[in-house]
Amino acid sequence: MTFDYTADQVQLRKAVREFAEGEIAPHVMEWDEAQTFPLEVVRKLGKLGYMGAIFPEELGGAGLGYIEYAIIIEELSRVDGSVGIIVAAHTSLCSNHVYKMGSDEQRRKYIPKLASGEWLGCWSLTEPEAGSDAAGTRTKAVRDGDDWVLNGAKTFTTNAHYADVCVAMAVTDRAAAQHGISAFIADRGTPGFRAGKKENKLGLRASATGEVIFENCRLGAGQLCGKLNEGFVDSLKVLDGGRVSIAALAIGMAQGAYDAALRYSKLRKQFGRPISEFQTIQNKLVDMAVDLDAARLLNYRAGSMLDQGKRVTRESSMAKLFASEAAVRIANEAVQIHGGYGFIKDYPVEKFYRDVKLCTIGEGTSEIQRLVIARQLLKSG
Ligand SMILES: Cc1cc2nc3c(=O)[nH]c(=O)nc-3n(C[C@H](O)[C@H](O)[C@H](O)COP(=O)(O)OP(=O)(O)OC[C@H]3O[C@@H](n4cnc5c(N)ncnc54)[C@H](O)[C@@H]3O)c2cc1C
């Protein structure tokens, strides 16, 4: 067991931080206000190898592991959670579903383009009536000759409006419930496949979240991804990795909020002294720092187990649950340490406070993480 970053990991963090501070930080508030999707940044991240960190080099990926992937998401999210979630949904949901469950042909067709950032991916599981209970999916795929015809609407899909590729779950055998849902890959431009309403959100406003609609959308047999009827079960495996990226998203934003609060506490003077000299403020900073460290350790454990090819349902749920709830606490205290200025958009912490809340909801709410962890604990007890 070792708790040191490798020299390469230190270098990677530095490189991503420099990119985020140089290319993203100057635009964050403007993108947030106008809900501008940073497509140019996505292309640049692709050129740097950050859109396909976890995929092998022979498929155009960077050949890195989950710790490195978490470092990339953390550093992007430390500056802008919107960029963090765009990369996370693209990489660990869409691309990873194709990489893990797809055929060799699908891997060769999609992963190089996704990993280079030339194509952006999205992943659609959630529906208006099927959120936490995602097995209640209603979108259906009916066989017609060799083809599949999809009808239905997905909701809350990250990247929906900018994606070139969508992995979507649809019912292929209603009687079989969880074992009657399959995953399909839909390419942008396929007739009958389009993005619908784009949501106006509390936070992560530069990321695009919205509907994905299928209207008599005909997909060839080669667009089925993974085994027929196993798409939902595969999704749960994909989400194990996805939760490491949501934890990293939370940790990155929490780090940004903590850094801002620490800096501000040393500059802001009240009663003739910097507020950092008051023990109450110090206690807040201590609790924030401990939460951050604990969240990182839980997440790197899950990441390192994923790198060893282990199943991490319990560990990634624990990391996601703790990191997201800790990040909400940290962002809240960061606003508090800023006093009235924390409420004002000239300071970065109000945005972290808004953005970070998604982490306790997306890819399974805190309540669902507790159900998942409880099931694992009871199974092993
Ligand atoms: C910004 C954003 C981005 C997203 N990106 C994607 C994406 O890319 N792809 C995708 O497929 N989805 C995405 N989602 C959807 C997200 O995963 C769901 O919103 C989430 O799973 C919760 O589903 P729901 O919103 O329907 O809430 P519900 O399931 O309706 O939950 C409502 C409340 O009830 C609680 N609850 C539900 N069931 C139980 C239970 N059994 N026990 C205890 N409490 C329960 C929940 O915890 C929650 O507090 C995104 C959502 C947002 C907001």
Side-chain angles (χ1 to χ4, degrees):
M1 205 178 271
T2 159
F3 294 99
D4 288 331
Y5 292 110
T6 64
D8 284 349
Q9 287 166 347
V10 171
Q11 182 51 38
L12 175 68
R13 190 181 287 283
K14 188 165 169 282
V16 186
R17 184 168 294 197
E18 278 172 12
F19 176 86
E21 288 181 344
E23 304 272 339
I24 301 173
H27 310 289
V28 166
M29 287 316 288
E30 171 200 324
W31 291 343
D32 181 69
E33 290 277 335
Q35 304 191 66
T36 308
F37 189 89
L39 200 54
E40 276 308 303
V41 164
V42 168
R43 304 289 181 232
K44 286 183 187 167
L45 289 171
K47 291 208 170 74
L48 291 167
Y50 301 155
M51 296 299 284
I54 50 177
F55 306 113
E57 287 171 277
E58 58 270 24
L59 286 172
L64 298 171
Y66 269 85
I67 307 285
E68 288 79 9
Y69 173 53
I71 288 172
I72 292 169
I73 299 293
E74 279 178 30
E75 288 302 323
L76 295 174
S77 309
R78 180 179 162 273
V79 170
D80 189 3
S82 286
V83 177
I85 196 173
I86 291 167
V87 178
H90 164 89
T91 308
S92 44
L93 296 181
C94 175
S95 308
N96 206 33
H97 199 128
V98 177
Y99 175 65
K100 284 232 169 300
M101 313 302 170
S103 63
D104 280 347
E105 201 182 332
Q106 288 169 337
R107 268 185 219 118
R108 279 196 304 271
K109 175 177 174 191
Y110 289 104
I111 300 298
K113 291 244 186 333
L114 289 166
S116 68
E118 188 182 333
W119 285 354
L120 184 66
C122 71
W123 188 83
S124 281
L125 175 64
T126 307
E127 294 188 3
E129 303 300 327
S132 300
D133 182 15
T137 293
R138 291 183 181 180
T139 296
K140 61 178 182 185
V142 176
R143 212 191 274 269
D144 183 21
D146 281 346
D147 295 346
W148 291 94
V149 178
L150 274 70
N151 277 290
K154 298 283 176 184
T155 192
F156 293 160
T157 297
T158 299
N159 297 340
H161 304 80
Y162 297 88
D164 301 280
V165 179
C166 175
V167 175
M169 276 23 90
V171 175
T172 38
D173 179 358
R174 190 154 316 271
Q178 295 200 355
H179 294 280
I181 295 172
S182 305
F184 293 88
I185 310 176
D187 298 345
R188 188 212 281 262
T190 307
F193 163 60
R194 65 179 171 92
K197 182 184 171 219
K198 182 180 167 192
E199 302 297 348
N200 183 4
K201 306 195 295 290
L202 167 74
L204 301 176
R205 287 166 57 81
S207 72
T209 313
E211 288 178 324
V212 165
I213 296 171
F214 295 96
E215 286 162 325
N216 291 322
C217 172
R218 184 172 288 273
L219 297 177
Q223 299 308 103
L224 174 73
C225 183
K227 286 200 186 118
L228 179 64
N229 293 330
E230 290 305 309
F232 180 75
V233 176
D234 287 348
S235 292
L236 297 184
K237 293 178 192 154
V238 168
L239 282 169
D240 282 350
R243 283 172 184 148
V244 168
S245 66
I246 297 293
L249 176 68
I251 291 163
M253 289 191 271
Q255 184 72 56
Y258 169 82
D259 291 348
L262 181 65
R263 201 168 48 238
Y264 184 82
S265 72
K266 292 182 190 171
L267 295 174
R268 175 68 174 170
K269 285 194 178 141
Q270 288 294 280
F271 301 95
R273 320 192 253 165
I275 60 168
S276 62
E277 290 183 13
F278 300 126
Q279 198 165 16
T280 313
I281 298 293
Q282 290 173 5
N283 286 346
K284 288 185 193 299
L285 290 166
V286 168
D287 289 348
M288 292 157 83
V290 173
D291 261 351
L292 254 177
D293 261 21
R296 272 210 176 86
L297 288 170
L298 276 175
N299 204 32
Y300 293 163
R301 175 181 69 169
S304 118
M305 287 174 69
L306 274 170
D307 287 340
Q308 294 166 50
K310 294 182 178 160
R311 188 87 202 254
V312 295
T313 306
R314 185 178 87 126
E315 290 76 10
S316 66
S317 271
M318 283 184 169
K320 196 268 188 189
L321 172 64
F322 185 83
S324 60
E325 297 204 335
V328 168
R329 289 194 292 274
I330 291 168
N332 181 42
E333 289 295 38
V335 172
Q336 197 67 22
I337 288 172
H338 279 71
Y341 297 96
F343 211 68
I344 304 297
K345 285 183 182 282
D346 295 346
Y347 291 81
V349 287
E350 64 82 30
K351 181 170 179 295
F352 287 122
Y353 182 81
R354 288 185 285 114
D355 287 352
V356 84
K357 184 60 194 156
L358 178 273
C359 299
T360 67
I361 297 169
E363 296 198 28
T365 62
S366 288
E367 292 76 11
I368 295 302
Q369 301 310 320
R370 286 189 168 88
L371 287 182
V372 170
I373 296 164
R375 224 174 274 142
Q376 297 291 318
L377 297 182
L378 296 172
K379 221 173 15 181
S380 66

